[in-house]
Structures are given as structure tokens and as C-alpha cells.
Amino acid sequence: RVYVGNLPADIRPKDVEDLFWKYGKIRDVDCKTPSRPPAFAFVTFENYNDALEAIKGRDGVLFEGQRLRVELASHQGADSLSAVSITRNGGVVDVEKSRSRERERDRGDRDR
């Protein structure tokens, strides 16, 4: 499942499909339009490697004047989402865990 952020408020699932169809078979597109822009979507690919290619191919691309933010998304609990990023060497990094470690390290530096 791929998170696609920084989308225009009038985005439709077909628009998102048009952005990602070339990377592989798409199982589902779920567009979200919050009360405060920007909109975002989740794209579910049949194949995990297709999702990785879509991230590499679309992250940072300009779409209707905005740079897309494209990254893997995973569920943690019923309603929360945690973002993960692909590193340059192809590894996966849990952004929330990395941020948590940085905060702990910063607090440790202050305590000295």
C-alpha cells in the first residue's frame, strides 16, 4: 500500500490510477479529501515490488503544480498510519521509529 500526498482537493481515483498504472496492477485506490488541503490517497498494488517502483518513479514529481509525496504506508492499530521510506540503497526505514530515536538521543544530550 502506497501513500500519495500533496494531491489537489478535486482529485479522483481515476486521476491517481492514471499516475500509477504503468508500475503494475492496481488493486485499489482510496482518495481522501480532508477539510484542510492537501488531499491524499492510498494506492494498493497487487505486487510489493511494483509499489517500490512506483515510489521511486513518482516521489517528488510535479503534479498540477505540487510535488507529490509518495511512500510506503502501513497500518499500526485500527486508525493510525505509520510512514516508512525507501533508502537510496533499497532498504526500508520506519520514519516514526527513526524520529523517536532522534528525540531520545536529543533528550539524552540535554540531560548531560
Side-chain angles (χ1 to χ4, degrees), residues 2 45 47-57 72 86 90 92:
V2 174
F45 286 88
N47 182 296
Y48 178 78
N49 289 326
D50 293 342
L52 295 179
E53 288 302 313
I55 292 166
K56 290 177 188 174
L72 282 178
I86 305 299
V92 177

Side-chain angles (χ1 to χ4, degrees), residues 72-92:
L72 282 178
S74 64
H75 282 289
Q76 287 187 341
D79 295 315
S80 68
L81 289 171
S82 173
V84 294
S85 294
I86 305 299
T87 62
R88 289 178 193 224
N89 65 2
V92 177

Side-chain angles (χ1 to χ4, degrees), residues 7 9 31-40:
L7 293 168
C31 292
K32 306 288 186 182
T33 308
S35 57
R36 292 184 7 201
F40 60 95

Side-chain angles (χ1 to χ4, degrees), residues 17-76:
E17 284 180 33
D18 289 347
L19 277 168
F20 290 96
W21 69 268
K22 76 178 194 173
Y23 296 101
K25 185 166 172 70
I26 296 171
R27 185 183 309 157
D28 183 51
V29 175
D30 185 15
C31 292
K32 306 288 186 182
T33 308
S35 57
R36 292 184 7 201
F40 60 95
F42 293 100
V43 180
T44 305
F45 286 88
E46 290 283 329
N47 182 296
Y48 178 78
N49 289 326
D50 293 342
L52 295 179
E53 288 302 313
I55 292 166
K56 290 177 188 174
R58 290 293 186 223
D59 188 38
V61 168
L62 278 176
F63 179 72
E64 295 192 16
Q66 299 293 321
R67 291 213 180 273
L68 293 179
R69 182 174 159 205
V70 183
E71 51 193 43
L72 282 178
S74 64
H75 282 289
Q76 287 187 341

